[in-house]
Amino acid sequence: MNILVTGGAGFIGSNFIHYLLGDGLHDHIINFDKLTYAGNLANLADVADDSSYTFIKGDIADKTAVEAAINDYHVDAIVNFAAESHVDRSILDPDAFVRSNYVGVSTLLDAVKTFKVDKFVQISTDEVYGSSRPGEQFSETADLNPSSPYSATKAGADLLVLAYFKTYGLNVNITRSANNYGKLQFPEKLIPLMVTNGILGKPLPVYGDGTNVRDWLNVADNCRAIDAVLRRGQAGEIYNIAAHNYAKNIQIVKKVINHLNISKSQIEYVADRPANDLLYSIDDAKIRHELGWQPRVDFDAGIDQTIDWYVNHEQWWRPLLGKVKNR
Ligand SMILES: NC(=O)c1ccc[n+]([C@@H]2O[C@H](COP(=O)([O-])OP(=O)(O)OC[C@H]3O[C@@H](n4cnc5c(N)ncnc54)[C@H](O)[C@@H]3O)[C@@H](O)[C@H]2O)c1
């Protein structure tokens, strides 16, 4: 297959491209990325010369550029990771989120229809369901109840994807995953922020009292799940992807502190993010039963490996520090 991976220079997209290039199936991967602050070609430096890999700098909201990429490379499938992804930035500048996360998806869907692309996978998030009550897990049929401009644009895009399935019969899927952790994540997100600040002797900012709970999914497990959906997902279906590794933010921060052997006094409690959801919790029985996927990475081992990766790749994150907001 010729697979167009949009947003492939970001965290999950670059991990997914490495996964595809290593799976022995000899697909051709076209990475289409705008290279925003979060897009980093260093993530793919090791595959830049691979004959199965092509990079195109482009914006998914640019109809001409999207159509040229699909036409020139005879694209069979699109996996859309491209998005503005940071909730804090969406509170400061929602417009950029509407353009990339909603208008961009509309542009991609139109091109899928025009060029009869066989498959479109939209990478969405558990945040579209909003906060769970304790013990409550949202399945794929739950109402959408997003709290931030980020999750609202993702929810809007999901509805657009489903409308293109119902109206035009496009072969689409949506994945809604839990919080990912792993290598190559921009050092503004919780784990790389804590590790890099920890190493630099800077404060470790924790929102509110640090009791917001997230479900932590290793990015490698997410890549396997997305691949299963790409190849075997049923048309029009949504798949939740969870790990059931629930941890309070403060517990993650303490894991980093213990691993780096630094002082707890580096923790700095800061005013909570507006409308910060207390708990994300999703039911992923569908992908487990229908596609036979389940996470493989042990949580504690995965977190330790991830912290070690940032410790050992200072040359990767140091050049990015100037782009991190509120540092
Ligand atoms: N990181 C998570 O924990 C998580 C969890 C669930 C879902 N998601 C979703 O997964 C996807 C990838 O997330 P991530 O953490 O890798 O994000 P990221 O911010 O690391 O990467 C996003 C990538 O998209 C590119 N991009 C942004 N706007 C673009 C545009 N208009 N056209 C082309 N490229 C554009 C950026 O340059 C960057 O390379 C996003 O859609 C996000 O909503 C992420």
Side-chain angles (χ1 to χ4, degrees):
M1 279 201 291
N2 295 322
I3 305 174
L4 186 74
V5 176
T6 53
F11 165 46
I12 308 176
S14 60
N15 276 284
F16 187 64
I17 289 175
H18 282 117
Y19 175 87
L20 288 179
L21 290 173
D23 68 4
L25 293 178
H26 307 294
D27 295 308
H28 186 93
I29 315 304
I30 304 105
N31 175 12
F32 183 96
D33 195 298
K34 188 178 172 184
L35 297 183
T36 68
Y37 75 93
N40 183 2
L41 287 181
N43 296 356
L44 295 152
D46 54 331
V47 299
D49 297 328
D50 192 317
S51 59
S52 301
Y53 171 78
T54 303
F55 174 70
I56 300 172
K57 183 168 190 245
D59 183 340
I60 57 166
D62 177 346
K63 182 178 162 76
T64 310
V66 166
E67 292 193 347
I70 292 173
N71 197 33
D72 292 352
Y73 290 93
H74 307 287
V75 165
D76 300 301
I78 300 178
V79 185
N80 179 37
F81 295 91
E84 289 292 338
S85 69
H86 193 48
V87 174
D88 290 347
R89 288 184 187 244
S90 83
I91 294 166
L92 297 171
D93 179 19
D95 277 4
F97 286 69
V98 173
R99 182 167 165 79
S100 289
N101 301 3
Y102 189 76
V103 177
V105 173
S106 162
T107 308
L108 289 173
L109 287 166
D110 256 348
V112 167
K113 177 161 77 69
T114 305
F115 290 89
K116 300 185 171 42
V117 177
D118 293 338
K119 176 73 129 185
F120 179 81
V121 181
Q122 168 67 2
I123 307 303
S124 186
T125 164
D126 60 357
E127 298 192 28
V128 297
Y129 300 117
S131 200
S132 298
R133 288 187 295 269
E136 181 183 34
Q137 287 193 337
F138 295 120
S139 76
E140 289 82 352
T141 55
D143 289 344
L144 301 184
N145 187 22
S147 301
S148 69
Y150 162 70
S151 50
T153 57
K154 296 297 288 186
D158 285 8
L159 295 178
L160 209 49
V161 172
L162 295 173
Y164 270 70
F165 168 69
K166 291 184 219 166
T167 309
Y168 306 111
L170 299 192
N171 183 4
V172 300
N173 288 118
I174 295 169
T175 68
R176 292 182 180 149
S177 84
N179 259 43
N180 283 222
Y181 72 92
K183 63 179 183 179
L184 302 170
Q185 187 169 32
F186 188 71
E188 200 172 64
K189 303 284 175 76
L190 186 69
I191 293 177
L193 176 68
M194 294 302 148
V195 179
T196 55
N197 273 13
I199 291 170
L200 296 170
K202 293 188 164 192
L204 308 178
V206 174
Y207 281 132
D209 59 3
T211 56
N212 297 61
V213 175
R214 303 292 181 251
D215 175 15
W216 293 91
L217 172 70
N218 190 280
V219 68
D221 282 328
N222 192 24
C223 289
R224 280 191 306 103
I226 293 167
D227 187 59
V229 171
L230 167 66
R231 299 182 197 278
R232 292 181 283 117
Q234 296 299 303
E237 294 297 322
I238 302 165
Y239 297 92
N240 286 347
I241 306 169
H244 307 292
N245 294 320
Y246 299 102
K248 293 176 183 166
N249 289 343
I250 189 66
Q251 291 174 304
I252 297 286
V253 175
K254 286 185 177 163
K255 273 181 189 290
V256 172
I257 287 173
N258 289 339
H259 195 94
L260 296 180
N261 200 18
I262 57 176
S263 166
K264 277 195 187 111
S265 65
Q266 274 182 249
I267 295 176
E268 186 179 281
Y269 290 95
V270 297
D272 204 354
R273 169 193 278 169
N276 199 357
D277 290 323
L278 205 52
L279 165 67
Y280 294 127
S281 180
I282 51 174
D283 174 355
D284 63 347
K286 180 171 169 179
I287 190 167
R288 290 177 188 242
H289 293 143
E290 293 185 12
L291 302 184
W293 170 88
Q294 58 178 29
R296 288 182 189 155
V297 181
D298 174 75
F299 181 45
D300 288 322
I303 294 283
D304 284 347
Q305 280 164 12
T306 298
I307 297 171
D308 283 338
W309 190 87
Y310 292 100
V311 169
N312 294 326
H313 289 81
E314 204 164 320
Q315 82 289 359
W316 177 86
W317 55 261
R318 276 221 178 245
L320 304 176
L321 295 183
K323 298 180 186 174
V324 172
K325 266 213 186 335
N326 304 327
R327 196 146 184 129

